Amino acid sequence: LNGEEQMYPASLTKMMTAIVAIEELKDLDQEITLTQEMFAGLYEQDATQAGFQPGETVRAIDLLYGVMLPSGAECCIALSYAIAGSEQGFVDLMNKKAEKLGMDGTHFCDSTGLHNPDHYSTAKDMAVLLQYALKNDTFREIAESPWHSTPGTNVHPDGITYYSTMFKNMSDTSVTGGEILGGKTGYTSEAGHCLASFAQIYGREYILVTAGAAADATGVPHILDAKTIYNRLGEAVAQK
């Protein structure tokens, strides 16, 4: 896929949701209560969820991990309401941020990446976004985490543990000359399988964004593609 070509970012959108939320929140331990209205439409649209329930009170940081690791739509909406009063208000912040970062090929309609013909980006813009977000220590720590356990809540006394959709499909993160450090997956039938990832190879950090991979027998073509490309990169660097 050409880096400038318009594509549907699916859940890669949640990288923007997470970095905007991190920058807007005054306190990452702030408690946020999920309401019934935040779940409206999520089941109907078959949105991925982290597992929180209406009426549950959780810390903002646990919602942030829920956005990035299991790709929880309810976490995106809860943060949107807490920060901007509505999802639309939050989407305005996302679009302003995209403009500020020079992501000219991007327009967001929601905080989750659920399909909308008017919600689009490019691989290059997603790479610009990830490069920017990784300068933030909180974002980087979340993106590099294979799993996260929340403390107990009023609904889940033992807390919830969830896993990164990327790491759980990548049993081995090593590539030629280094390793894949973290990333965010995305999938809708319109977008295909997408992956934004970053790796350390021979002491340098690289970012890779792939989109539009068709499902194959492995079920994880985007992850196999990333490993193939990073391996080739490592081999090329080694030969220099």
Side-chain angles (χ1 to χ4, degrees), residues 46-184:
D46 204 19
T48 315
Q49 297 191 30
F52 295 113
Q53 300 299 321
E56 190 160 4
T57 300
V58 291
R59 301 177 312 169
I61 188 72
D62 297 314
L63 291 172
L64 286 163
Y65 274 96
V67 166
M68 286 289 292
L69 271 52
S71 211
E74 85 276 29
C75 302
C76 300
I77 310 278
L79 287 165
S80 296
Y81 274 78
I83 289 163
S86 68
E87 190 182 14
Q88 208 38 62
F90 188 81
V91 171
D92 291 343
L93 296 175
M94 294 169 65
N95 282 319
K96 279 198 186 101
K97 191 74 187 182
E99 199 177 329
K100 201 170 165 190
L101 293 176
M103 296 166 60
D104 302 335
T106 298
H107 181 258
F108 298 116
C109 296
D110 56 57
S111 64
T112 56
L114 285 167
H115 184 66
N116 181 319
D118 208 28
H119 183 105
Y120 53 81
S121 188
T122 67
K124 178 172 168 266
D125 280 1
M126 286 289 128
V128 166
L129 169 61
L130 181 54
Q131 186 177 11
Y132 170 79
L134 285 171
K135 294 184 184 127
N136 179 290
D137 293 343
T138 303
F139 183 95
R140 177 177 284 270
E141 200 172 303
I142 294 171
E144 290 183 354
S145 300
W147 57 276
H148 176 72
S149 288
T150 75
T153 71
N154 56 327
V155 174
H156 294 94
D158 300 327
I160 300 185
T161 296
Y162 32 70
Y163 298 87
S164 153
T165 53
M166 184 191 85
F167 284 115
K168 74 175 183 202
N169 285 309
M170 191 184 286
S171 47
D172 177 17
T173 55
S174 60
V175 292
T176 305
E179 66 168 329
I180 297 175
L181 300 175
K184 177 81 198 75

